[in-house]
Amino acid sequence: SASCGDGRKRRVCYYYDPGIANVDYGADHNMVPRRVAMAHALVEKYGLLADMERLRVRPATEAELRAFHDDAYVRLLRDITPDAYHDGDLRDRARACRVGVPDPNEPEAGGAGAYIYDNPVIDGLWDYCLRYAGGSLAAARALVDGSSDIAINWSGGMHHACRGKASGFCYVNDIVLAIQELLKHFERVLYVDIDVHHGDGVEAHFKRESRVMTVSFHLYDIDRRGDKFFPGTGKAEDVGEGDGKYYTLNVPMKAGMDDERYQQLFRPIMDEVMEKFAPDAVVLQCGADSLYGDRLGEFRLSVKGHAGCVSYLRSFNVPLLLLGGGGYTVNHVASCWCYETAVAVGKEKEISDEIPFHGYEHYYKDQGYKLHFTVPKKNGNKKDDLIDKIKQDALMNLAMLKP
Ligand code: ZL4
Ligand code: CA
Ligand code: ZN
């Protein structure tokens, strides 16, 4: 089995489109696309661009989006603007697709109305969707044409978007599009999702497909007072259907997961997945809301703990697509994706813990201007019996996979 973080070099390509950094979901919204510009500024100042090929900025086309999304939804994303929303017909079409402009006179209406806060009609929405999807497609093609071993698009990873509607801050599912692109060349594609939320949109699309295996690690809590943790799916019993039965794996966890316990699950489970499924390409959604201190997530991973997943999968020497995703404490997100870029090129031991001057250094005051924030130790019982149960459930499902 694999040894962690071997020193062998990889050909890495990197996608960054500055056009995404200025997108604004709204003043109080948790999703802040500027975090990708912050990560990029760090990557640049640490000198990591010299070790990667920079992919050309290439927005997706309408036709490319239609490879997954339905026509009516693509047309809506193309036509809708904050202004156009307020007149008549478009408003109803938008609401049906779960996008909208929140009404201040109707704070958090029930039903579809509530989700409009999650998926607002923002200025430049169509352009934004084409740009982040274009990045994931370009990255996938760099693996398909064999020019790279690892391809990175931190602005992608929007795992909740569905065929005909937005969900959970995600409008276009760039992951499904990228996997479809990889399937044109690779026989089997593995999707791994370490965002704190369940990767429901990707799972739903491939749950009947045996050429794609999806594995999501996430916080699962339907028993909380008031509400479930979003999206409320992803229990261990959900294993896929038909030809795809057992090609879906869910690893539901409780709040408070730390590096040690996360890796106690991630490594043995991924060892088994890599051996049984033997993928020809791996897509890793690196949602950074599983880090300690996230505004939405409730895990306690350090940057090194999170990046341990990247180095572990990298060590298998299979073409690897790295995507972003969630991440709502922007300094933590930028630290994490910069460090993971360093892991991809094999230079994580060489980059200094001192945040360089790069224009966003003031965001790092609370972490002492260090790349690695500290995770306070938490005492109390470790509930390792729970970890064992989660691991057993996962390994039992994997045992059903034909080798
Ligand atoms: C907000 O404060 O759980 C949006 C979203 C906007 C501004 C002011 C509006 C106030 C938290 C979240 C009302 C907001 C109510 N504003 C939002 C069931 C919900 C219906 C909508 O990382 N309300 C929905 C989505 C999740 C729900 C998580 C993770 C994406 C990813 C990949 C998506 N939706 C309840 C919430 C705020 C807001 C404050 C918010 N929304 C937190 N969690 C959700 O997996 C990128
Ligand atoms: Ca996940
Ligand atoms: Zn998330």
Side-chain angles (χ1 to χ4, degrees):
S1 94
S3 72
C4 176
D6 68 284
R8 290 203 27 222
K9 286 286 165 224
R10 305 290 193 286
R11 296 166 301 159
V12 182
C13 69
Y14 173 83
Y15 190 86
Y16 173 68
D17 180 347
I20 285 167
N22 297 318
V23 173
D24 184 1
Y25 275 70
D28 303 316
H29 203 285
N30 291 290
M31 178 57 96
V32 178
R34 192 177 54 253
R35 68 209 171 117
V36 178
M38 292 170 62
H40 176 76
L42 282 176
V43 163
E44 189 171 22
K45 273 290 150 134
Y46 276 116
L48 297 170
L49 291 178
D51 298 295
M52 302 186 284
E53 186 202 325
R54 180 86 178 263
L55 287 168
R56 197 165 49 84
V57 170
R58 196 200 69 91
T61 64
E62 198 176 322
E64 284 172 331
L65 299 195
R66 277 198 242 102
F68 170 54
H69 293 287
D70 69 37
D71 285 6
Y73 181 50
V74 171
R75 263 184 277 120
L76 177 83
L77 289 174
R78 187 192 64 200
D79 298 342
I80 195 79
T81 64
D83 282 343
Y85 178 79
H86 293 290
D87 36 61
D89 170 53
L90 272 179
R91 182 191 176 101
D92 296 332
R93 282 172 51 204
R95 287 205 157 221
C97 298
R98 293 273 166 105
V99 299
V101 177
D103 180 351
N105 300 317
E106 190 191 357
E108 200 171 349
Y115 290 90
I116 286 171
Y117 288 97
D118 279 354
N119 320 311
V121 175
I122 52 190
D123 282 319
L125 177 62
W126 177 238
D127 190 59
Y128 169 59
C129 292
L130 296 180
R131 285 173 190 270
Y132 76 74
S136 298
L137 285 169
R141 283 171 190 152
L143 299 177
V144 163
D145 72 23
S147 61
S148 298
D149 305 310
I150 303 179
I152 301 175
N153 174 26
W154 296 131
S155 62
M158 307 308 268
H159 58 180
H160 300 305
C162 303
R163 201 172 112 80
K165 67 177 176 68
S167 173
F169 320 159
C170 306
Y171 304 89
V172 163
N173 199 316
D174 61 296
I175 307 172
V176 169
L177 295 175
I179 292 173
Q180 286 176 334
E181 198 62 30
L182 293 170
L183 287 172
K184 293 179 185 169
H185 179 77
F186 297 109
E187 183 55 33
R188 283 183 303 282
V189 176
L190 171 65
Y191 173 66
V192 184
D193 185 315
I194 61 170
D195 189 291
V196 74
H197 297 97
H198 176 226
D200 58 351
V202 183
E203 175 182 306
H205 186 61
F206 293 116
K207 69 182 176 190
R208 297 179 163 277
E209 174 62 72
S210 61
R211 287 178 63 201
V212 178
M213 177 157 189
T214 65
V215 182
S216 178
F217 297 82
H218 47 266
L219 172 55
Y220 181 76
D221 189 355
I222 51 165
D223 296 326
R224 44 177 67 203
R225 288 167 302 275
D227 216 351
K228 59 191 181 358
F229 188 74
F230 187 87
T233 49
K235 55 184 192 296
E237 292 77 17
D238 294 340
V239 294
E241 295 169 13
D243 287 347
K245 195 168 183 191
Y246 303 116
Y247 292 90
T248 292
L249 183 67
N250 282 299
V251 187
M253 302 167 173
K254 294 290 171 236
M257 286 295 294
D258 59 17
D259 291 351
E260 191 188 329
R261 288 184 298 157
Y262 199 94
Q263 292 306 328
Q264 272 173 31
L265 292 170
F266 189 83
R267 292 182 179 218
I269 290 170
M270 292 320 302
D271 276 344
E272 198 65 16
V273 168
M274 292 303 286
E275 187 170 320
K276 282 278 182 68
F277 184 61
D280 304 301
V282 177
V283 178
L284 177 57
Q285 195 268 20
C286 300
D289 48 9
S290 40
L291 293 171
Y292 172 74
D294 189 79
R295 287 173 66 190
L296 294 189
E298 298 169 32
F299 284 177
R300 301 174 60 84
L301 299 186
S302 70
V303 164
K304 282 179 184 161
H306 194 274
C309 300
V310 177
S311 56
Y312 203 64
L313 290 179
R314 179 187 186 269
S315 71
F316 288 91
N317 277 317
V318 173
L320 178 61
L321 176 54
L322 299 179
L323 302 174
Y328 306 101
T329 299
V330 291
N331 46 317
H332 290 185
V333 178
S335 282
C336 182
W337 290 345
C338 171
Y339 186 75
E340 288 174 345
T341 306
V343 167
V345 300
K347 290 226 167 134
E348 71 271 27
K349 296 208 175 63
E350 289 163 47
I351 63 170
S352 159
D353 194 26
E354 303 297 326
I355 291 283
F357 290 103
H358 64 301
Y360 297 104
E361 55 285 339
H362 54 284
Y363 283 87
Y364 297 82
K365 187 169 190 289
D366 290 351
Q367 58 192 79
Y369 301 102
K370 304 286 188 216
L371 186 66
H372 295 279
F373 57 82
T374 52
V375 180
K377 282 267 175 300
K378 215 173 165 225
N379 36 27
N381 83 332
K382 282 207 146 195
K383 295 192 203 128
D384 277 339
D385 48 329
L386 242 167
I387 295 295
D388 288 342
K389 161 83 172 112
I390 298 168
K391 183 169 146 185
Q392 265 172 33
D393 284 349
L395 293 179
M396 230 138 74
N397 285 331
L398 286 168
M400 304 300 289
L401 263 187
K402 299 173 276 294

